[in-house]
Amino acid sequence: MYVLNGWLTLWQDTTGDGEFDALVEAVGEIRAMFDSVAPFTVNWSLEPVNGTYYLRITVDANRRRDEAADVERIIRKACVLLPGSWGVFYERDDEAVEPPGSNAFRVWAVARGEISYREDPFLSPCNPIIED
């Protein structure tokens, strides 16, 4: 099983201000990238709330496949286009052999348009915290 769930607040810069037309153009570019992503295993939305755009992504696949790479590519592109973006994604791959392994989540922390990978302190280890 491979799952990823999270959100990204899309900002052009770290002040949250910026040229609205340029923001809308970048959002359109990000939205278009989802056209090539598997619709049965990836659910996403990219909508404004009070003038701020939010990207929400959920992946639920039998195993890590192209969807994972596609989603990571889109998140990285969003960070390039909108370097003030920030958010968090939780990823779990029950076939992972590299840390954090199959019994833990890996957290993608996005700040200032950069992704860092961190250990999860809340839901890991999955067994016994969320599973028996």
Side-chain angles (χ1 to χ4, degrees), residues 1-6 41 57-65 67-68 71 88-108 117-120 123-132:
M1 151 195 75
Y2 176 80
V3 295
L4 179 133
N5 192 21
T41 56
I57 303 173
T58 299
V59 179
D60 191 338
N62 291 335
R63 61 186 39 87
R64 185 181 179 95
R65 298 183 304 222
E67 301 95 333
V71 166
V88 67
F89 293 87
Y90 264 62
E91 175 188 50
R92 182 176 180 203
D93 180 354
D94 71 351
E95 296 177 356
V97 292
E98 294 187 21
S102 63
N103 193 35
F105 285 90
R106 180 170 76 155
V107 179
W108 304 14
Y117 300 101
R118 303 190 182 173
E119 292 183 19
D120 162 51
L123 301 174
S124 301
C126 297
N127 185 333
I129 293 179
I130 63 172
E131 298 173 336
D132 290 326

